[in-house]
Amino acid sequence: MSSLEIIIQSIYVIAAVLFIVGLKRMSSPTTARTGIVWAGIGMLMATIATFFYPGVENFALIAIAILLGTIIAGYTAKKVEMTEMPEMIALYNGMGGGAAAAIAAVELFKDHHLPVSVTTLALIGGIIGSISFTGSLIAFGKLQGMVKGTFRFKGQHQINLLLLLGTLVLSVLVVAGFDGNATLVIMVFVIALILGIAMTIPIGGGDMAVVISLYNALTGLAVGFEGYVLQNYAMIIAGTVVGAAGTLLTQLMAKAMNKTLISVLFPFGETTQASGDAVEGEMKPIEAGDAGIMMAFAQKVIIIPGYGMAVAQAQQKVWELSQLLIDRGVDVKFAIHPVAGRMPGHMNVLLAEAGVPYELIFDEDEINQEFKSCDVALVIGANDVVNPIARTDPSSEIYGMPILDADYASNVIVVKRGQGTGFSGIENVLFFLDNTRMLYGDGQAVAADLVNSIKEL
Ligand code: NAP
């Protein structure tokens, strides 16, 4: 290795260390922003160092590609709403998988006499990256509402298994140098791309968060494999870290929904999408003034934020409301469900942004036993995560998912704009219970009305 290569590889290692430090800092809302900056500096260092690598050509093409990517990413990242973050993550994630697959393809086409270990890892990374690429695009389409419904048919999983076996058998032939031409390699990639689509279309929208996290882990793994092919330490370390972190996150999210990864990836049968008229009873409205009085004279209020709070950007007003209640001696707590909102930690980030102290924020398993002794549960923009049908209806898509037990509170106030269902599209039986009152309106406007009504007391 020349001294220039040693310097470049050392920069890659420093970049990888910066990725890891950045990731560590992202584990807390207080340090997350600087974590992104640390990781970004690492990425910049690795990118610049690559330009000096011996044998790198086509500088103009690389520069144009980087410029285009930077402009598109910068523009979309600025424009994207917080609520559309999962779609964006799915899309960028897919691009990462596609890029890893492209590296594999270039290496395999470039040189038919690669060592067996390199060919094998290039193929494994290429297959995983291709699956992640098309799978993430379908996940993006599902979240955007461009791909609607679940396409399930008999024998579907067997066909997918055959596709997977097909890529593996063809890969073995490529490694064995069976025909030495590009046809087999192309077939491996085409089947893997189809497999990504076929695997993702039967999966229900409610499970998309787990699927995106899984593809994120797979992209990391693919990048790690291709890092070995290119002998690039930064890619090996960063890919492995993303793969490991993504795998843990996938497990945690599946656990939060009380599902196994197998049941998410290989769904069987059709799920019910219960409609409003399937639920007995009626929704009973309440005015902000009455709801304000109810909370102001309560001993304990538990606030359950959900996706709607993010849409309404109501977190500041909700915290203002909480402070008024706390000043009146009310015991106020926030209950966060692990899959509330549209990305892991979504609610924690919003509440931290509004200045809610961490000691008032509780996870589902910490707070659930407290609902029985709670006077008012204020559900603001949450729906699926408080739907008691998850306990009672085995045919429901969310059956078995642990929920926040808001229905056990003496009174439940639900803030939402109208009759809209949650992410899973399932009607919520909580809204029809005797102890529930519906406070209709945009989350921010309603929270402001509640603040005013309490101030007037
Ligand atoms: P949800 O079930 O999606 O329900 C959100 C509710 O907010 C809707 O019923 C909607 O009713 C209401 N809403 C929307 N805009 C509003 C506004 N401006 N003001 C007031 N209310 C508004 O939300 P959730 O309870 O947080 O559950 C999250 C769901 O997303 C789960 O099914 C989860 O599996 C899924 N998911 C989670 C993640 C993750 O990582 N956290 C990722 C992807 C998917 P109206 O239309 O009537 O107002």
Side-chain angles (χ1 to χ4, degrees):
M1 212 187 264
S2 70
S3 49
L4 178 63
E5 283 174 84
I6 292 172
I7 293 172
I8 292 172
Q9 290 294 356
S10 309
I11 293 175
Y12 285 160
V13 174
I14 296 169
V17 171
L18 287 174
F19 294 154
I20 295 171
V21 174
L23 196 66
K24 174 79 190 84
R25 295 185 72 78
M26 281 177 225
S27 61
S28 159
T30 43
T31 53
R33 272 175 199 274
T34 51
I36 296 272
V37 175
W38 283 67
I41 292 171
M43 184 58 85
L44 191 67
M45 282 171 61
T47 310
I48 293 172
T50 304
F51 274 95
F52 294 93
Y53 213 91
V56 172
E57 294 164 4
N58 296 324
F59 287 102
L61 278 179
I62 299 173
I64 291 172
I66 290 178
L67 190 70
L68 278 179
T70 309
I71 291 171
I72 295 171
Y75 175 72
T76 48
K78 275 217 174 315
K79 204 175 90 57
V80 72
E81 297 287 334
M82 259 313 249
T83 48
E84 288 170 348
M85 230 16 127
E87 286 95 312
M88 187 154 160
I89 292 170
L91 198 60
Y92 282 7
N93 191 31
M95 295 303 135
I103 291 172
V106 168
E107 291 302 307
L108 289 164
F109 286 133
K110 192 166 74 179
D111 188 352
H112 294 305
H113 305 289
L114 291 169
V116 169
S117 64
V118 175
T119 311
T120 309
L121 289 182
L123 281 164
I124 297 175
I127 292 171
I128 298 175
S130 303
I131 292 174
S132 182
F133 174 58
T134 47
S136 298
L137 289 186
I138 296 291
F140 166 77
K142 285 201 173 208
L143 287 178
Q144 281 281 44
M146 294 187 310
V147 181
K148 289 195 168 56
T150 53
F151 304 92
R152 295 182 190 168
F153 54 88
K154 217 161 169 251
Q156 189 170 25
H157 301 317
Q158 286 82 344
I159 292 176
N160 290 351
L161 205 65
L162 275 179
L163 288 172
L164 181 64
L165 277 175
T167 55
L168 295 181
V169 170
L170 289 171
S171 299
V172 171
L173 294 180
V174 173
V175 174
F178 188 70
D179 72 352
N181 71 36
T183 318
L184 284 179
V185 177
I186 293 173
M187 283 169 70
V188 170
F189 281 98
V190 169
I191 298 177
L193 289 169
I194 295 172
L195 183 57
I197 299 171
M199 267 174 65
T200 319
I201 48 171
I203 301 173
D207 290 334
M208 253 335 116
V210 181
V211 173
I212 290 171
S213 172
L214 176 72
Y215 285 144
N216 186 29
L218 289 182
T219 292
L221 217 59
V223 168
F225 282 130
E226 300 313 328
Y228 180 85
V229 172
L230 296 180
Q231 284 300 296
N232 182 316
Y233 294 148
M235 282 174 70
I236 296 174
I237 301 172
T240 315
V241 169
V242 172
T247 306
L248 279 177
L249 181 62
T250 310
Q251 280 175 346
L252 286 173
M253 290 183 74
K255 192 167 157 249
M257 297 167 87
N258 202 21
K259 293 197 168 181
T260 60
L261 197 53
I262 297 290
S263 70
V264 171
L265 289 179
F266 303 102
F268 277 102
E270 286 304 317
T271 51
T272 53
Q273 300 280 319
S275 63
D277 49 31
V279 181
E280 286 183 11
E282 55 172 346
M283 300 192 203
K284 296 162 279 294
I286 190 172
E287 294 300 320
D290 295 334
I293 292 172
M294 207 189 255
M295 286 193 283
F297 292 98
Q299 281 185 342
K300 186 191 271 189
V301 171
I302 300 180
I303 301 176
I304 304 172
Y307 173 67
M309 186 184 81
V311 177
Q313 286 294 295
Q315 59 273 18
Q316 304 282 355
K317 278 287 162 200
V318 170
W319 175 226
E320 197 181 332
L321 168 70
S322 314
Q323 283 170 298
L324 286 176
L325 293 172
I326 292 168
D327 290 346
R328 294 179 64 94
V330 182
D331 177 11
V332 178
K333 290 181 174 166
F334 287 83
I336 309 273
H337 191 281
V339 297
R342 288 293 182 273
M343 59 185 166
H346 199 169
M347 296 300 118
N348 302 72
V349 170
L350 293 182
L351 294 183
E353 184 188 298
V356 179
Y358 297 126
E359 56 272 20
L360 295 189
I361 301 174
F362 296 87
D363 290 334
E364 168 236 326
D365 50 345
E366 295 171 323
I367 194 99
N368 254 354
Q369 67 283 6
E370 292 201 33
F371 281 104
K372 286 197 180 89
S373 61
C374 158
D375 303 296
V376 182
L378 176 69
V379 178
I380 179 153
N383 192 334
D384 291 343
V385 300
V386 287
N387 193 342
I389 207 166
R391 290 192 215 113
T392 53
D393 184 356
S395 67
S396 167
E397 192 181 312
I398 60 169
Y399 179 68
M401 177 172 99
I403 56 157
L404 288 165
D405 294 332
D407 52 324
Y408 293 162
S410 305
N411 298 283
V412 184
I413 298 171
V414 178
V415 178
K416 69 202 293 286
R417 295 164 307 178
Q419 314 296 324
T421 52
F423 185 80
S424 64
I426 299 169
E427 190 51 88
N428 195 331
V429 289
L430 171 74
F431 304 162
F432 297 83
L433 296 181
D434 286 342
N435 56 337
T436 302
R437 294 291 176 274
M438 306 300 291
L439 181 47
Y440 292 116
D442 172 74
Q444 193 179 135
V446 169
D449 290 346
L450 287 171
V451 165
N452 292 337
S453 77
I454 292 174
K455 276 184 180 164
E456 282 166 15
L457 288 178

